[in-house]
Amino acid sequence: MTPAELASVVLAAAHAVFEQRGLDRAALPASTVVERPRNPEHGDYASTLALQLSKKVGVPPRELAAALADELGRASGVKSVEIAGPGFLNIRLDAAAAGQLARVIVEAGAEYGRSDRLAGEKINLEFVSANPTGPVHIGGVRWAAVGDALSRLLRATGADVGTEYYFNDAGSQIDRFARSLLAAAKGEPAPEDGYGGAYIAEIATEVQARRPEVRTLDDDAAQEVFRVEGVALMFDEIRSSLRDFGVEFDTYFNEKDLHDRGELDLALNRLRQQGHLYESEGATWLRTTDFGDDKDRVLRKSNGEWTYFAADCAYYLDKRERGFERVVIMLGADHHGYIGRMKAMAACFGDDPERNLEILIGQLVNLLRDGAPMRMSKRAGTVITLEDLVEAIGVDASRYALARYSSDSPIDIDIELWTRATRDNPVYYVQYVAARTAGVARNAAEVGLVPGDGDAFRPELLDHEKENELLKALAEFPAVVATAAELREPHRVARYLEESVAASYHRFYDNCRVLPLGDEEVTDLHRARLWLNNATRTVIANGLHLLGVSAPERM
């Protein structure tokens, strides 16, 4: 019995009690939830339904709980119900009902854990969006791992998600990039405000190979060639690096297109219609202070140039015009001050900034070698890049390490820890269960132990304490996925896989032998435990997939 099925049983019992007592059934919720009690000695699941309904119907909570307990006690699959405290219901399932979950999971396969909790929501999720002036640095890599995992979670809970990379190919940073390439081509040092690192010389060489005529052009014309070709090469490299990291975007959006299509003027006109623009000292301002910003923002300078914030406004409007009801943007720690102006901007467009716009801030990441932070990249020269991280610990460990922590917490990634083939390495600890469950299934087949069809499955035999503990851990998965999606916290999945599933499986494996020994006859208990083993493999694989991490069959 899954938690959702048990919740339905509890609600059915409430309907029966209300009918028996002539209570107003309009007070009953459309659905309810059951949770695992903190102390496993209190039962398999707990419900607060009696406490929720007591005031509404004027019945003391313990009296209502007693009636519910009596009705629930007659339900199929419920072993016992106890009343605790002011009216909590502590519920124990019989072994057959609890064990049946293994069959549910195996037969659901990749669908187990998915739901329609966020069905109907259309979400635009923008993450990474590194400027095409250098390789993706380690802060951007964090958003690549977390953002991709979040997109998987949102889709797994029914949301319509469009992932997006904002390609900043306009503005002064691109000019500095082009000047740096030109200087490298001429054998000169980088400009004072330019970019350094071996990658600049590499790109400059590649541009000259593609466009040999650039050597004959004057500096202004040559700089334009280096800008166009250099940005294209850098962006191709960024896309390739992210693809190798397992991250693909539905849309790669060019900032330059906003300018070329006149979308900044469109946004300006929309804001003017809303009555939030004014002119001062020859510049055009957006009165964001009306909506809590610390100061008004310039959209167009007195010399006619657009500001970066004007492009932000146009880009937000473009997303909303494409039908996205919720715009989610992931930004680095240095963008914390960005939240107020963006929320105010959404309000200026007439949107609800709490409903239509979410801004998530990620904290810093340090890569540690021998206990000390690495500061210099072999190629980028100034920052640690995606390639540096992957070279150090691999793609799976990188993605898991970055998604394992709350994004608002700084991370130290210790190279020695994350490359260690021991149980103190979190990704190894979880992937080892994936490999062990696959190995058990292979070994079972070799000795003629197969799970058989669902009708042959004897769930009531799974009555060992460690079997029950593992079943309860597996039952939590759909709720973990839904909560992680709603709270935008993929780390909840990683911690659940480690602390709940992997830990419980290891205890199950140590106490409950799945395979027959020697010439021992294969029994229904062996088969039942194989179902539970395979159900664990399913949950581990599904959870790792949501994090973009592989579930190996061998290690």
Side-chain angles (χ1 to χ4, degrees), residues 135-138 140-141 144 238 241-242 244-245 384-391 398:
V136 180
H137 62 76
I138 198 166
V141 182
I238 290 171
S241 296
L242 290 169
D244 291 343
F245 197 58
I384 301 300
T385 67
L386 186 158
E387 287 78 8
D388 296 322
L389 179 62
V390 170
E391 181 182 340
S398 297

Side-chain angles (χ1 to χ4, degrees), residues 118-124 160 316 319-328 351-358:
L118 299 181
E121 289 204 29
K122 188 169 185 181
I123 300 172
N124 180 280
D160 180 0
Y316 173 79
K319 291 177 178 178
R320 295 285 286 120
E321 292 290 297
R322 281 185 274 147
F324 291 105
E325 299 162 3
R326 191 182 295 270
V327 173
V328 181
D351 282 349
D352 177 354
E354 299 308 311
R355 162 67 187 164
N356 300 115
L357 177 63
E358 289 181 41

Side-chain angles (χ1 to χ4, degrees), residues 244-360:
D244 291 343
F245 197 58
V247 179
E248 291 269 16
F249 291 86
D250 299 319
T251 302
Y252 293 88
F253 193 102
N254 286 12
E255 179 186 352
K256 190 172 181 294
D257 289 344
L258 293 171
H259 294 264
D260 294 344
R261 296 197 298 246
E263 292 197 41
L264 281 83
D265 285 307
L266 178 65
L268 198 74
N269 292 335
R270 183 72 60 85
L271 292 167
R272 182 173 282 113
Q273 292 169 8
Q274 294 287 338
H276 299 299
L277 291 188
Y278 65 94
E279 308 293 326
S280 178
E281 300 178 352
T284 302
W285 297 70
L286 180 63
R287 192 176 285 105
T288 53
T289 52
D290 285 352
F291 298 99
D293 195 8
D294 59 344
K295 61 182 179 181
D296 292 340
R297 305 289 171 174
V298 177
L299 297 182
R300 199 168 215 165
K301 302 176 185 178
S302 57
N303 63 4
E305 292 182 359
W306 294 102
T307 64
Y308 285 122
F309 189 59
D312 291 334
C313 294
Y315 186 37
Y316 173 79
L317 181 61
D318 182 274
K319 291 177 178 178
R320 295 285 286 120
E321 292 290 297
R322 281 185 274 147
F324 291 105
E325 299 162 3
R326 191 182 295 270
V327 173
V328 181
I329 308 173
M330 296 179 158
L331 299 173
D334 56 341
H335 287 76
H336 200 278
Y338 203 67
I339 298 175
R341 76 188 71 170
M342 288 295 289
K343 291 282 189 179
M345 174 267 291
C348 288
F349 276 119
D351 282 349
D352 177 354
E354 299 308 311
R355 162 67 187 164
N356 300 115
L357 177 63
E358 289 181 41
I359 298 179
L360 308 179

Side-chain angles (χ1 to χ4, degrees), residues 165-189:
Y165 184 114
Y166 185 52
F167 183 40
N168 304 89
D169 57 347
S172 59
Q173 82 277 8
I174 299 298
D175 294 334
R176 295 198 302 272
F177 178 62
R179 291 199 304 272
S180 302
L181 294 175
L182 177 60
K186 296 166 69 174
E188 299 174 354

